[in-house]
Amino acid sequence: MDDEKTVPGFDEEMREIFESYLVEAREILDHLSQDLLALEKAPSDVNVLNNIFREMHTLKGTSLFLGFSQIAELAHTSEDLLNILRKGECIATSEIIDVLIDVHKTAGVLLQRIESRNLQPIEMESILEKLRKGMQQQPSLIQEPAAETSKKETTMRPAEFSDILLRQVVDTTIRVDVERLDDLMNLIGELVLARNRLSQATQSLTEKYERLDMSKQIADVSSQIDFVTTELQMAVMKTRMVPIDKVFSGLPFVAREVMRTTGKEVDLQIYGKETELDKSIIEELKDPLIHMIRNAVDHGIESPEERKIKGKPDKGIVVVNAERDGNYILITMEDDGCGIDVEKTKRKAVEKGLISEIEATEMSKSDALNLIFIPGFSMKQEITNVSGRGVGMDVVKTNIAKLKGIVQIDSNVGTGTIITLKVPLTLAIIQGLLIKVVDEIFAVPLSAVLEIVRITPKEIYSIQGREVIRVRDTILPIARMYDIIGKNQTVQQSAVSYVVIVGWAEKRIGLLVDSLQGQKEVVIKTLGNYLGDVPGIAGSTILGDGSVILVIDVGRFIDLIAHHFGKVA
């Protein structure tokens, strides 16, 4: 088939086969990434070689059937080499494994082009030549089998296509377009709002007519609807959940590339691959984790020589872990490298003009560590292919902020560094903390709330014109909410106030509020075309009594505070 004409002309049946092909091809590449790394550790493992051969064979067959000739040719030539390797006629040297990993990368590029309907051919002769060269290690043994294999396996019988394409039949799963799930989640959101209003109305009714049988019946029905709505909400959320292994599976490849570039040795340990979270969040985590792994290996882990001098094992350790914490996912990356020297970091930031000498002197350890997230900041003296441009950790901050998440970093010189990402399971329906300021109620996403502290007026200090409080060993700037929203404090301030400490990526600030109104499930609705985009506001939601309140966008809110009231932590 002609590549340029195949995809656009699909009828409905062929379109389904095409979609199945994309799903299966991605799964094959995921398996290949793990098997190729396993082969590097055990080059003579026949089981691993057989797995890789079968994966290439399947990729070749399905690609050939749909007319994707380049990816089929790439898989077929790789298959010839793998056939020789698994028969023991040549050895999987490091050079051959490098070539197979390049094949994996090229196949990934081709698959992305197929998915985006860009079927223009790419240059592949260099990678194909490397594969042929790998087969020439023992030419006397492999010349004939290679030719015979090539002749036999470039075409397939219809029965073989049936085996490959019709295997996504005895499966108990079906594919659903993500847009349909989004629509369903929007309807669930409306149901949650109605449930909340019904619950509050029922509570008022039973309080007023407690002894009436009808009020008891309504209370029972309301309770049942509450239960079913919660179960339905969780069921729909689960359909959008995918294992974080979709992202984690690519990290060993990234670590391997940095190791080969820097000459370092790292034992990458990954835990919690089965942890699930929303598909939309998974996609935003890929770039931050890639930059974090590069940073850990390139900046954190010392060279084998340095580690030997320090009394450490030659091989460094990087541990990545994901675990669920209530409605959030915690992802930690910990290394046993050199750690971050706070004083050097501050000096570098001063040299680059990112902070002043006075700011550097007054800066706490936590603030100094967060300097690595500033765009353009890097501790590297020279730019390399791996780092030095100061964009890596900025990407981490930006993407996690997009997810309404939080980044925390802790590091000790000579011991290592731990970076923790905290992101919500889903962004569709969130838990919100209701706060009252004068006569207004606002909702703050609970994922951004780090801590709530009670203070008295005398615990508020002023440093360089900014109000701050001390929270354990940290000086934290605060902002009075009534000043931010432009309302006068009409009532006498009580002896005890609440400070809601919120975080956005690496930034922290305390919001001084009048009172707390509890925790509620919040369905964020847009403000509409009339109000448009309001700085610091994510949208609105409806409470059980029918009143409309605003939902704070913590990230933009912090920026708003910094713009009007000065820097935040």
Side-chain angles (χ1 to χ4, degrees):
M1 294 185 188
D2 189 305
D3 284 359
E4 285 75 22
K5 296 179 181 177
T6 302
V7 178
F10 276 170
D11 56 22
E12 191 59 35
E13 183 180 356
M14 286 301 293
R15 191 172 300 281
E16 288 183 9
I17 294 175
F18 172 67
E19 295 295 338
S20 298
Y21 165 80
L22 291 177
V23 172
E24 185 174 29
R26 288 192 208 100
E27 289 177 354
I28 288 172
L29 292 184
D30 284 344
H31 294 155
L32 274 173
S33 66
Q34 297 172 38
D35 287 337
L36 287 172
L37 291 170
L39 182 65
E40 188 169 42
K41 294 178 181 176
S44 301
D45 192 318
V46 177
N47 290 329
V48 174
L49 284 166
N50 282 334
N51 285 342
I52 298 173
F53 178 84
R54 283 192 292 268
E55 287 154 359
M56 285 292 186
H57 182 72
T58 303
L59 184 62
K60 178 191 76 173
T62 53
S63 301
L64 196 62
F65 174 68
L66 291 174
F68 303 133
S69 56
Q70 279 209 303
I71 198 167
E73 182 183 10
L74 183 67
H76 174 66
T77 310
S78 303
E79 191 181 15
D80 286 343
L81 174 58
L82 289 162
N83 196 37
I84 294 165
L85 292 172
R86 67 180 185 150
K87 289 179 180 178
E89 294 173 353
C90 70
I91 301 168
T93 61
S94 60
E95 290 80 7
I96 285 179
I97 292 172
D98 284 344
V99 173
L100 290 174
I101 287 176
D102 286 342
V103 166
H104 178 275
K105 292 178 185 175
T106 306
V109 171
L110 288 169
L111 188 62
Q112 286 178 343
R113 291 169 69 90
I114 289 170
E115 191 170 9
S116 63
R117 310 298 198 266
N118 179 3
L119 299 177
Q120 293 297 323
I122 67 171
E123 193 284 315
M124 284 202 323
E125 191 52 40
S126 58
I127 185 73
L128 294 175
E129 184 58 34
K130 288 179 183 178
L131 286 168
R132 297 185 195 110
K133 188 175 179 182
M135 288 185 276
Q136 292 170 2
Q137 287 192 26
Q138 301 288 342
S140 60
L141 292 176
I142 65 170
Q143 201 166 21
E144 288 303 316
E148 187 177 347
T149 302
S150 177
K151 184 178 180 181
K152 285 182 180 179
E153 297 184 350
T154 51
T155 59
M156 297 185 72
R157 297 188 302 277
E160 291 179 283
F161 288 133
S162 299
D163 287 342
I164 293 170
L165 293 172
L166 305 178
R167 62 181 61 181
Q168 288 312 325
V169 175
V170 295
D171 203 345
T172 58
T173 61
I174 60 171
R175 288 183 295 103
V176 179
D177 194 292
V178 175
E179 288 184 3
R180 293 189 180 183
L181 293 179
D182 289 341
D183 292 340
L184 188 56
M185 185 58 82
N186 289 335
L187 291 174
I188 293 293
E190 295 297 330
L191 184 59
V192 168
L193 290 176
R195 185 271 315 268
N196 291 346
R197 293 196 66 181
L198 177 62
S199 296
Q200 185 151 334
T202 302
Q203 184 179 352
S204 300
L205 183 65
T206 52
E207 286 174 358
K208 191 171 183 179
Y209 304 102
E210 184 178 2
R211 297 180 182 179
L212 289 180
D213 287 340
M214 183 60 71
S215 65
K216 292 178 182 177
Q217 290 178 31
I218 292 174
D220 290 341
V221 172
S222 177
S223 177
Q224 181 67 12
I225 290 175
D226 184 28
F227 173 77
V228 172
T229 302
T230 301
E231 290 296 304
L232 184 59
Q233 177 188 335
M234 293 306 297
V236 174
M237 283 176 59
K238 284 178 181 177
T239 62
R240 294 176 54 93
M241 297 293 183
V242 291
I244 200 169
D245 190 37
K246 293 283 184 184
V247 176
F248 279 2
S249 61
L251 297 184
F253 264 166
V254 177
R256 180 185 184 274
E257 286 184 352
V258 181
M259 282 188 276
R260 292 179 72 83
T261 303
T262 61
K264 297 177 180 180
E265 297 178 21
V266 175
D267 176 18
L268 178 61
Q269 302 173 12
I270 299 179
Y271 303 97
K273 294 179 181 179
E274 69 288 347
T275 305
E276 293 185 330
L277 65 167
D278 194 283
K279 182 181 183 296
S280 61
I281 293 178
I282 284 276
E283 291 165 356
E284 294 292 341
L285 283 175
K286 183 177 180 181
D287 284 347
L289 289 172
I290 286 175
H291 285 292
M292 284 167 64
I293 203 77
R294 283 179 177 160
N295 201 65
V297 178
D298 188 36
H299 289 270
I301 301 297
E302 310 94 331
S303 66
E305 295 76 22
E306 289 178 279
R307 292 180 66 86
K308 200 171 289 184
I309 293 171
K310 294 178 179 179
K312 296 182 177 181
D314 290 358
K315 185 176 285 190
I317 297 175
V318 176
V319 180
V320 181
N321 182 56
E323 59 183 337
R324 183 166 174 175
D325 181 18
N327 290 322
Y328 311 100
I329 293 293
L330 295 180
I331 303 170
T332 58
M333 188 173 293
E334 179 176 2
D335 67 68
D336 71 340
C338 58
I340 299 174
D341 188 315
V342 169
E343 294 306 317
K344 283 185 180 178
T345 303
K346 290 195 283 190
R347 285 200 299 272
K348 191 75 173 178
V350 171
E351 288 174 14
K352 289 180 171 287
L354 300 174
I355 59 172
S356 66
E357 290 280 2
I358 296 175
E359 287 175 318
T361 305
E362 297 175 345
M363 194 170 276
S364 66
K365 177 185 176 182
S366 175
D367 293 338
L369 290 174
N370 285 329
L371 289 170
I372 69 169
F373 296 109
I374 296 177
F377 182 82
S378 176
M379 292 295 288
K380 282 281 187 179
Q381 297 297 326
E382 56 185 25
I383 294 176
T384 67
N385 290 334
V386 179
S387 61
R389 293 177 176 82
V391 295
M393 298 310 288
D394 174 39
V395 171
V396 175
K397 179 194 77 171
T398 303
N399 282 42
I400 298 305
K402 252 193 250 178
L403 298 175
K404 317 299 181 191
I406 295 169
V407 183
Q408 293 177 316
I409 181 169
D410 189 24
S411 185
N412 293 296
V413 176
T415 305
T417 301
I418 303 176
I419 298 179
T420 303
L421 311 181
K422 181 182 179 182
V423 295
L425 279 174
T426 178
L427 299 177
I429 299 175
I430 65 171
Q431 294 293 320
L433 175 69
L434 303 187
I435 59 174
K436 189 168 186 180
V437 185
V438 192
D439 56 351
E440 298 278 353
I441 295 178
F442 296 88
V444 181
L446 207 58
S447 60
V449 177
L450 303 178
E451 190 175 355
I452 299 172
V453 295
R454 296 177 64 185
I455 62 167
T456 58
K458 65 180 182 181
E459 293 178 274
I460 300 176
Y461 307 94
S462 182
I463 298 179
Q464 293 185 349
R466 281 302 314 272
E467 288 189 313
V468 299
I469 60 170
R470 178 180 290 278
V471 181
R472 291 177 289 279
D473 61 342
T474 303
I475 299 297
L476 183 78
I478 65 169
R480 298 178 185 268
M481 279 293 292
Y482 59 82
D483 282 342
I484 299 169
I485 65 174
K487 288 209 170 188
N488 295 324
Q489 180 66 285
T490 55
V491 297
Q492 183 68 29
Q493 189 173 358
S494 60
V496 176
S497 301
Y498 293 95
V499 174
V500 179
I501 302 173
V502 295
W504 176 70
E506 85 292 3
K507 296 178 181 177
R508 309 286 183 270
I509 195 170
L511 303 178
L512 189 66
V513 302
D514 293 337
S515 63
L516 307 177
Q517 302 291 302
Q519 179 182 329
K520 295 285 184 184
E521 258 183 341
V522 172
V523 181
I524 302 178
K525 313 292 288 182
T526 63
L527 296 178
N529 294 331
Y530 181 71
L531 290 177
D533 186 30
V534 178
I537 301 299
S540 61
T541 192
I542 303 172
L543 296 183
D545 61 1
S547 59
V548 177
I549 66 170
L550 297 177
V551 181
I552 290 176
D553 181 333
V554 173
R556 296 179 67 189
F557 205 73
I558 288 177
D559 287 342
L560 185 68
I561 294 170
H563 178 72
H564 289 287
F565 299 95
K567 276 187 83 173
V568 297

